[in-house]
Amino acid sequence: MRTIVSFMSVGILGVVAGFLAGIWFTGEQASAPEIAAGSPGREPLYWVAPMDPSFRRDEPGLSPMGMDLIPVFEEPDSESNAVSVASTIQQNLGLRTGKAIRTDFARDISAVGYTRWNEASIKMLHPRAEGWLEEFKLASVGDRVSAGQVVYELYAPNLVSAQQEFLTARQAGNEALASLARERLLALGFTAAQVEDLARNGSTSSRLVYRAVNDALVLSLGARRGSFVQPSSSIATLASLDTIWVDVDVFETDVADLAVGLEADIEFPAFPGERWSAAINYIYPELDSDSRTLRVRLLVDNADHRLKPNMFANVSIHADPRRDVLAVPREAVIRSGSGARVIVVLEDGRFQPRAVRTGVSSGERIEILQGLAAGETIVTSGQFLLDAEANGEQAMARLDASAQASQGAADTMAMPAESADDTGNTSDSEVIYATTYETRGRITNMMADGMVTLAHEPVPSLNWPAMTMGFTTHPAIDLDDYSVGDTVRFEFRQQDDGSYQIVVLTSAETNERTSQ
């Protein structure tokens, strides 16, 4: 059985190599920027970790996992990194293309926010003189107060002497003294209308009546009828709901498009299907250091008081359009640790990865700041397969998965090795993967979800040193046959998400194989 499997493995690898050779015709490494083991005559831009391209250094060294860093080179100016794909293969892969076009980039900034009291309408009531609240018309938080309504009456004996000084100065015709006495009354809490009324009727009172200036709601109460109060006492806090603030958190990447006066549409989950319109009336001066967002304020009319503070809001801010922007479909851009790139369609069925610098997104399109020209054709579907040279190991896995869409590719990328009995019936089939790697290790941890941690020996084909790392296991592998501390031989492959899955697990002592 082992001999049969070995011969079939060699045969399958040969078929896969021929299949790939028939699809890909390439010169230099096709990454953008280019990642290569060596590139004579050119200086690397930087070095990256083999398993984490986001880990960069300015000089050679080791990754956090103890692996040699890989140099990254600038993309070659020539088209030597182009690949050729036969028309039949293009059809099987479902390649679709689009154009890089220049257009006006209308852009809406989507964000979330919440409602708040309009702080400009908040009024805190403090007496100007000490005394007792003979009358207090507010009963509880949430009470409505109408403009002109009596809120409280303050009994303060020292108000009588201040009123008498004012009347005496007027009767003596001393305008300077009368003016000073009038200012004292205003400082004690009298309104201008109350002072004029006192001058007209000449009648003093030990009670000062306070009336609400406008319609409001009671936010808090700090006193009750009969309370002794002084200027430091907070009697009540009033605020209006005629207008309400909506504070919106906008991501840092969208900050450049913000400006006071921009129109916005607001929807509240509390009122599905309804929409409010407002404009930015203030942009806060500082970003939130944790969420990396900038807060802006919208002022919303709320005459019917339907909107309440602390409601959740979905906001779409209509930014000023960008004129004559070069744009491509968003799905055409490939992003990786080394940057963004697209696959450009050349003549004669050739495709070339090209590094681009992207800008903002709008709907289904994204701005291209550098790397493309208007009118160039780019691949919008299937581009990950054409990007094989830019990331060989992962592209191989993608090609493995996508090629199974056609019968011929499926037969090539994965073939069962079966043992037959005398009747020709098959049993206990095994699947050999062309992109698997083999090594030996010791199980250090096993988890219920099928994850195992192995202290394994070096893997020369991946330039891996001996190290301890976690693997997922194929569902067909029965981990009940193994335990922590067992020494095993195993074969694994890289999946589309970058993780590694064990597809064949063998006890090193018994050499019995379990596979899918």
Side-chain angles (χ1 to χ4, degrees):
M1 178 64 182
R2 179 180 305 279
T3 303
I4 294 174
V5 171
S6 299
F7 277 117
M8 293 193 69
S9 300
V10 173
I12 292 167
L13 290 173
V15 173
V16 172
F19 175 74
L20 296 177
I23 296 179
W24 312 107
F25 175 81
T26 180
E28 300 178 8
Q29 186 80 6
S31 61
E34 181 183 2
I35 300 178
S39 187
R42 288 190 293 160
E43 287 294 328
L45 298 177
Y46 48 85
W47 280 259
V48 299
M51 299 182 65
D52 183 10
S54 62
F55 182 85
R56 299 185 181 187
R57 289 293 181 268
D58 294 331
E59 58 186 7
L62 297 178
S63 72
M65 298 183 67
M67 303 167 63
D68 290 333
L69 299 180
I70 299 175
V72 178
F73 298 89
E74 186 177 3
E75 180 189 10
D77 296 331
S78 67
E79 295 180 0
S80 60
N81 61 337
V83 295
S84 294
V85 181
S87 58
T88 55
I89 299 299
Q90 293 183 36
Q91 189 174 20
N92 288 338
L93 296 180
L95 298 185
R96 295 200 307 272
T97 60
K99 292 281 189 181
I101 61 173
R102 288 203 168 273
T103 182
D104 290 342
F105 223 38
R107 182 159 186 261
D108 291 340
I109 301 173
S110 297
V112 295
Y114 57 93
T115 55
R116 291 176 53 203
W117 289 97
N118 181 349
E119 294 183 2
S121 71
I122 295 177
K123 184 176 180 62
M124 302 184 70
L125 304 184
H126 291 267
R128 298 289 184 87
E130 63 179 27
W132 290 262
L133 294 178
E134 291 290 325
E135 295 292 337
F136 191 61
K137 304 298 183 181
L138 305 181
S140 63
V141 172
D143 282 355
R144 291 180 179 270
V145 178
S146 301
Q149 172 185 333
V150 174
V151 176
Y152 64 83
E153 292 184 14
L154 177 69
Y155 171 70
N158 62 347
L159 293 179
V160 176
S161 60
Q163 295 172 70
Q164 190 61 53
E165 287 179 7
F166 173 70
L167 294 176
T168 301
R170 282 179 57 83
Q171 291 171 359
N174 189 333
E175 293 297 330
L177 187 60
S179 178
L180 291 175
R182 183 177 185 276
E183 292 300 323
R184 183 186 176 195
L185 290 175
L186 294 176
L188 289 172
F190 283 82
T191 64
Q194 289 172 326
V195 174
E196 294 300 324
D197 205 28
L198 173 63
R200 190 166 47 252
N201 58 39
S203 176
T204 63
S205 173
S206 60
R207 286 191 178 190
L208 175 63
V209 177
Y210 177 82
R211 299 178 182 273
V213 178
N214 48 31
D215 295 345
L217 296 174
V218 179
L219 292 187
S220 66
L221 292 174
R224 293 292 179 179
R225 182 176 179 180
S227 296
F228 175 77
V229 293
Q230 49 194 347
S232 61
S233 303
S234 176
I235 296 177
T237 303
L238 307 179
S240 174
L241 267 182
D242 292 342
T243 58
I244 199 166
W245 285 355
V246 176
D247 278 356
V248 184
D249 293 324
V250 178
F251 285 115
E252 183 177 3
T253 53
D254 297 320
V255 166
D257 292 321
L258 295 177
V260 172
L262 288 179
E263 296 293 328
D265 291 330
I266 312 169
E267 294 181 351
F268 298 93
F271 306 103
E274 297 186 55
R275 179 174 296 180
W276 278 256
S277 295
I280 296 178
N281 76 330
Y282 184 73
I283 300 176
Y284 288 81
E286 183 179 14
L287 268 72
D288 185 280
S289 59
D290 294 326
S291 64
R292 305 309 305 166
T293 57
L294 180 66
R295 183 165 297 176
V296 301
R297 181 195 304 157
L298 308 176
L299 182 63
V300 182
D301 290 331
N302 189 37
D304 54 6
H305 294 189
R306 294 175 69 200
L307 301 178
K308 314 297 183 185
N310 300 315
M311 279 185 170
F312 185 79
N314 294 308
V315 181
S316 180
I317 301 173
H318 308 308
D320 291 335
R322 298 192 179 195
R323 305 296 181 184
D324 195 31
V325 168
L326 181 65
V328 299
R330 293 176 63 176
E331 60 183 357
V333 178
I334 303 170
R335 297 188 182 276
S336 69
S338 58
R341 57 187 177 273
V342 297
I343 303 298
V344 180
V345 180
L346 306 177
E347 298 177 352
D348 303 326
R350 292 180 301 138
F351 301 85
Q352 180 189 34
R354 187 180 299 173
V356 294
R357 188 159 62 92
T358 59
V360 299
S361 299
S362 177
E364 297 302 317
R365 290 192 165 270
I366 187 170
E367 180 183 14
I368 300 296
L369 301 175
Q370 183 179 341
L372 277 181
E376 288 194 279
T377 303
I378 41 89
V379 178
T380 59
S381 178
Q383 67 272 31
F384 289 99
L385 301 176
L386 298 174
D387 193 42
E389 292 300 315
N391 193 352
E393 296 294 343
Q394 293 186 17
M396 187 75 169
R398 296 190 191 102
L399 184 60
D400 181 12
S402 298
Q404 293 183 30
S406 64
Q407 185 61 41
D411 293 340
T412 302
M413 299 306 294
M415 293 183 62
E418 301 174 291
S419 61
D421 57 25
D422 293 338
T423 63
N425 296 326
T426 59
S427 64
D428 297 339
S429 61
E430 296 178 343
V431 178
I432 309 301
Y433 291 88
T435 55
T436 60
Y437 309 93
E438 184 176 358
T439 189
R440 175 188 173 104
R442 180 174 55 84
I443 299 176
T444 61
N445 190 22
M446 301 176 66
M447 287 167 276
D449 59 358
M451 285 286 296
V452 296
T453 303
L454 289 148
H456 64 76
E457 298 175 355
V459 184
S461 57
L462 286 176
N463 198 27
W464 285 8
M467 59 184 171
T468 300
M469 63 181 290
F471 296 83
T472 60
T473 58
H474 192 278
I477 293 178
D478 188 1
L479 291 179
D480 292 338
D481 296 337
Y482 303 92
S483 59
V484 174
D486 286 353
T487 301
V488 296
R489 300 195 70 85
F490 61 99
E491 295 180 26
F492 64 94
R493 63 174 178 175
Q494 187 174 24
Q495 302 188 97
D496 288 346
D497 61 2
S499 65
Y500 291 87
Q501 181 188 58
I502 296 176
V503 294
V504 175
L505 188 60
T506 304
S507 173
E509 287 78 10
T510 63
N511 203 31
E512 294 177 356
R513 173 176 295 183
T514 302
S515 64
Q516 65 166 320

